[in-house]
Amino acid sequence: MSQAVDLVRGALQLRDAQLLGAELAKLNHVLLDAQQRLFSLGAELLALQEQHFKAREELREMRETLAERSRYTLVEIGQGQMAYRSNNAPVLGAAIEPVLAQPQHYLCQQCWDIRGAKSILVLHLDAADGPVAICRNCRDGWMRADLIAR
């Protein structure tokens, strides 16, 4: 009789182990799904962080561009010829007389607006037709510069 009880106990343990194994397999499947979703969310987070970084960098560059552009005013330097003139503000310091932050200069409007490059116009006062300015970057011809020379 004790052998029969032992066999029944063994059968019950075997059945319980099989049921437990099936439940553990289900649990492992759920854990693997959760882990896969976690990896997926981590990848999405990384992509969003990269997108956020790029947007912040673009915003910083745009703010710098706006600040740089605010240091210049578009003016007419001759008949229909436009250029950007520096807005010079005096720098106060220990000196008795305030000094300019940078010398007065003009930038080629086409180079800056179209190409995004700052190119200083060179003024030639002794040209045959009167004062002219040239951009050495785009060499966009000689521009009449009557208003600069004054």
Side-chain angles (χ1 to χ4, degrees), residues 121-132:
L121 295 176
V122 178
L123 184 62
H124 296 278
L125 298 173
D126 57 351
D129 292 339
V132 293

Side-chain angles (χ1 to χ4, degrees), residues 2 6 19 22 27 34 42-43 49 51 64 68 72 77 80 83 85 96-99 101 106 111 123 125 127 136 139:
S2 111
D6 288 341
L19 290 175
L27 181 60
Q49 286 174 333
Q51 190 178 23
E64 285 177 2
E68 181 66 20
Y72 292 89
I77 61 171
R85 179 185 64 218
I96 295 173
E97 292 289 326
V99 295
Y106 292 82
C111 282
L123 184 62
L125 298 173
R136 292 190 176 168
R139 301 206 184 272

Side-chain angles (χ1 to χ4, degrees), residues 69-119:
R69 290 230 177 222
S70 71
R71 291 192 278 266
Y72 292 89
T73 302
L74 187 63
V75 296
E76 184 176 18
I77 61 171
Q79 297 172 340
Q81 300 293 326
M82 304 299 283
Y84 285 101
R85 179 185 64 218
S86 60
N87 298 330
N88 287 332
V91 176
L92 301 176
I96 295 173
E97 292 289 326
V99 295
L100 296 179
Q102 58 186 352
Q104 181 71 42
H105 61 279
Y106 292 82
L107 300 179
C108 177
Q109 180 259 329
Q110 285 189 350
C111 282
W112 205 8
D113 287 347
I114 296 171
R115 297 174 188 92
K118 288 174 49 176
S119 180

